[in-house]
Amino acid sequence: MAADTPGQDPAGEDSRIATLEERIAKAEHVEKVRQGAVEQQADDGTRLGNRVLAELIGGLVGGALIGWVLDRLFDTTPWLLLVFLGLGIVAAFRNIIRLTTTKPPTE
């Protein structure tokens, strides 16, 4: 009968096991960082870079498309295309400057 019952009853979680698990997790994290295997998250710089690229491409494509359509409509090839392409570039750079200019916090 004594062989059927365990020698010790579980008295709850042992604090030594919890601290050991924490130390193992910390060591695994340090090893991943050392090997460069840590998954990188998109930070504010990456988001800003993507937004700047989108503004630049959008301004160029938008201006060129509007100019091309108006050139076809009014038969003024290539002048309106060039004018609206220039306006698209100006608008894109204006938006980029507005995005990257930091404003002082208001108190």
Side-chain angles (χ1 to χ4, degrees):
M1 175 95 72
D4 292 338
T5 60
Q8 291 181 344
D9 288 334
E13 189 174 324
D14 190 4
S15 63
R16 293 178 296 171
I17 293 176
T19 58
L20 178 63
E21 289 173 351
E22 289 174 8
R23 289 183 13 220
I24 289 173
K26 184 178 178 183
E28 287 174 347
H29 176 69
V30 168
E31 184 63 20
K32 284 181 183 178
V33 169
R34 187 184 70 78
Q35 292 179 355
V38 174
E39 196 174 303
Q40 293 184 351
Q41 301 293 327
D43 59 350
D44 289 337
T46 304
R47 286 188 206 111
L48 182 63
N50 288 337
R51 178 82 189 269
V52 165
L53 182 63
E55 290 285 345
L56 188 59
I57 292 173
L60 288 170
V61 171
L65 183 65
I66 292 171
W68 180 77
V69 167
L70 291 176
D71 268 341
R72 296 287 179 202
L73 188 64
F74 297 124
D75 197 29
T76 58
T77 304
W79 297 110
L80 289 178
L81 173 68
L82 294 174
V83 168
F84 279 92
L85 186 62
L87 288 175
I89 291 170
V90 169
F93 278 105
R94 181 184 152 270
N95 288 338
I96 290 169
I97 290 169
R98 190 180 65 198
L99 279 174
T100 57
T101 304
T102 58
K103 297 175 184 171
T106 57
E107 292 185 38

